[in-house]
Amino acid sequence: MPKKGLIERLDSGVVIGDGGFVFALEKRGYVKAGPWTPEATVENPEAVRQLHREFLRAGSDVMQTFTFYASDDKLQNRGNEAQKKYTGAMINQQACEIAREVANEGDALVAGGISQTPTYLNGLGKEAVQKEFEKQLKVFVDNKVDFMIAEYFEHVEEIVWAVESIKQKCPGMPIAANMCIGPEGDMHGVSAGECAVRMAKAGADVIGINCHFDPDTVLAALRLMKEALTKAGFKKHLMAQPLGFKTPDASKQGFIDLPEFPFGLEPRILTRWDCHRYAREAYDLGVRYIGACCGFEPYHVRAIAEELQKERGCLPTGSEKHGQWGDGLRQHTKPWVRARARRDYWENLKPASGRPYCASMSKPDEWGVTQGDAMLKQQAQKTTDEDLQKLYKK
Ligand SMILES: [Zn+2]
């Protein structure tokens, strides 16, 4: 029997996305923070495959190809060695094969993914940016992915170009468009609501937000998007793929501006119970594509699937090893731990950080640098010590 497509699934129920490959694989030692090395699909395919499997087991309905930042221009940025060995097409091809293999082990769909480009930050214009996208899109079309996700765009101008390219090069494929913005809108000052309307006008079928902010912030911004879409007469499905980190103190640029990014974020990680609340609040807001981004591990996705058990009519395979709301603790040896085998205990727990000198909030960097600023331009050479000295002084 052919698998049901994305829109059909969203029309009749809820779709659960997968988690953050870049952060998860970095922690496992297969991805380097900085260039975020998507060549892991070629260098360590078994690690990528295993993570897909864990998300599938946790309840993900979508295997998103691990192609984040796998455009040729990104591969040659700031001394990145990858482009000497691989083309973006090679990395994307391998990512498609791995995602399809695992998707077919269950009922999951494969989504191809493109993201923002250094070419855009360099101010090289629409034609050059779309050329980068189109090289990636060719691989996704050849591999017949089920739908496309344009994600992690900070500027609505660039995501509109991305959606237009997908529409043109991938005829008939549903398009999900996700910006990495919060309630303050994009980096050029376009409001969140206006961003959503422009994505809809460009032809996106599913509209949402990924990365940069925690579930609370993402849902607050999605509420603004929903209002603006309704007002403009659009009826589109909404999508959320937030961070697995708490970011109430992040400013417009999201967690990138937090001093803990990217190596000290652990005290901010969501608990599985936070994910229950996120799934419920997203569903109640009308979001039907409920997924995740950086920081989300398979057990977080399993919590989403468990919260939405009634709506989906099933539990994920991964729940075989997880009693609902702590139920498995009935089998614990210690009586005080057995006493925690109840929903209200975990639902109301305020977990301590164990760090007495750790503030609950940080002060974001807020350099306010974005597209149009010389400091963001791409260069082929690695950053020198001298360059760094200048940055330290800023
Ligand atoms: Zn992310």
Side-chain angles (χ1 to χ4, degrees):
M1 230 173 70
K3 288 179 184 175
K4 278 210 283 180
L6 176 71
I7 304 299
E8 213 183 334
R9 291 179 192 217
L10 291 170
D11 285 344
S12 61
V14 60
V15 168
I16 297 183
D18 56 11
F21 272 63
V22 173
F23 268 59
L25 290 173
E26 194 277 334
K27 286 181 174 138
R28 289 158 170 76
Y30 300 105
V31 157
K32 189 185 202 175
W36 303 109
T37 58
E39 58 269 28
T41 58
V42 185
E43 292 177 345
N44 293 102
E46 75 291 345
V48 179
R49 191 177 292 117
Q50 173 64 18
L51 188 54
H52 275 300
R53 281 206 178 105
E54 289 176 21
F55 281 120
L56 183 74
R57 191 178 153 78
S60 296
D61 298 308
V62 176
M63 297 291 109
Q64 199 175 329
T65 57
F66 181 46
T67 51
F68 180 71
Y69 273 163
S71 58
D72 285 335
D73 58 346
K74 184 70 183 175
L75 296 179
Q76 54 196 338
N77 200 15
R78 293 200 180 270
N80 190 346
E81 297 286 298
Q83 47 106 18
K84 291 191 187 132
K85 295 186 240 168
Y86 319 108
T87 62
M90 284 164 72
I91 293 169
N92 290 310
Q93 175 60 34
Q94 185 76 9
C96 286
E97 288 173 23
I98 297 170
R100 178 59 74 192
E101 181 189 337
V102 180
N104 286 349
E105 292 171 8
D107 185 37
L109 298 173
V110 174
I114 57 172
S115 38
Q116 64 182 10
T117 61
T119 300
Y120 179 75
L121 291 183
N122 281 349
L124 297 182
K126 183 171 180 176
E127 204 180 314
V129 171
Q130 288 189 323
K131 227 172 102 189
E132 289 301 323
F133 294 145
E134 284 161 16
K135 282 187 273 179
Q136 286 188 274
L137 293 175
K138 185 177 179 319
V139 181
F140 296 128
V141 171
D142 291 347
N143 283 276
K144 299 188 173 67
V145 300
D146 298 299
F147 68 101
M148 279 301 306
I149 300 177
E151 66 169 11
Y152 201 79
F153 286 85
E154 296 174 315
H155 303 90
V156 70
E157 181 178 44
E158 192 183 12
I159 199 169
V160 163
W161 297 347
V163 171
E164 286 172 3
S165 287
I166 299 169
K167 257 197 115 54
Q168 208 202 350
K169 299 291 172 188
C170 316
M173 252 186 224
I175 306 169
N178 282 207
M179 293 186 70
C180 50
I181 58 171
E184 288 182 71
D186 93 343
M187 298 308 121
H188 284 159
V190 182
S191 73
E194 176 61 19
C195 286
V197 171
R198 288 195 203 172
M199 288 189 270
K201 281 185 179 156
D205 304 292
V206 183
I207 287 168
I209 292 175
N210 82 303
C211 209
H212 275 202
F213 295 96
D214 61 19
D216 290 338
T217 314
V218 163
L219 293 183
L222 271 177
R223 184 165 278 119
L224 298 174
M225 287 183 154
K226 185 183 174 179
E227 282 167 16
L229 286 168
T230 307
K231 214 170 142 205
F234 286 107
K235 224 180 148 341
K236 300 279 184 185
H237 282 295
L238 297 174
M239 172 165 177
Q241 304 234 69
L243 293 178
F245 305 108
K246 301 256 184 196
T247 63
D249 44 347
S251 54
K252 197 174 176 179
Q253 182 75 64
F255 79 147
I256 312 277
D257 264 3
L258 293 176
E260 298 87 6
F261 175 88
F263 298 131
L265 288 161
E266 283 82 355
R268 295 173 178 267
I269 291 178
L270 303 185
T271 67
R272 63 194 70 196
W273 317 113
D274 293 325
C275 298
H276 272 267
R277 186 169 65 80
Y278 154 54
R280 182 53 53 199
E281 289 179 1
Y283 190 87
D284 289 347
L285 180 61
V287 180
R288 288 297 175 268
Y289 192 127
I290 302 177
C293 204
C294 307
F296 266 81
E297 291 281 341
Y299 75 99
H300 291 112
V301 170
R302 180 177 65 189
I304 297 174
E306 290 184 349
E307 176 63 32
L308 298 171
Q309 180 188 359
K310 210 173 88 215
E311 288 77 8
R312 299 173 83 232
C314 63
L315 276 175
T317 319
S319 294
E320 284 169 5
K321 299 291 183 198
H322 190 238
Q324 298 286 287
W325 293 106
D327 191 65
L329 299 179
R330 288 168 191 257
Q331 293 170 289
H332 202 279
T333 313
K334 311 287 192 295
W336 62 92
V337 181
R338 288 202 294 276
R340 297 173 194 160
R342 58 197 159 96
R343 176 172 179 156
D344 65 328
Y345 177 85
W346 294 107
E347 213 166 26
N348 297 314
L349 181 74
K350 303 265 180 290
S353 73
R355 297 168 186 265
Y357 303 106
C358 189
S360 57
M361 305 283 180
S362 289
K363 196 181 162 303
D365 271 347
E366 294 186 302
W367 283 21
V369 176
T370 195
Q371 198 263 0
D373 194 302
M375 280 181 92
L376 263 192
K377 289 222 168 129
Q378 181 185 23
Q379 65 174 49
Q381 311 80 4
K382 202 170 179 176
T383 311
T384 61
D385 289 348
E386 207 185 355
D387 290 339
L388 281 182
Q389 288 303 329
K390 281 186 217 151
L391 292 179
Y392 296 154
K393 286 192 198 109
K394 245 193 90 78

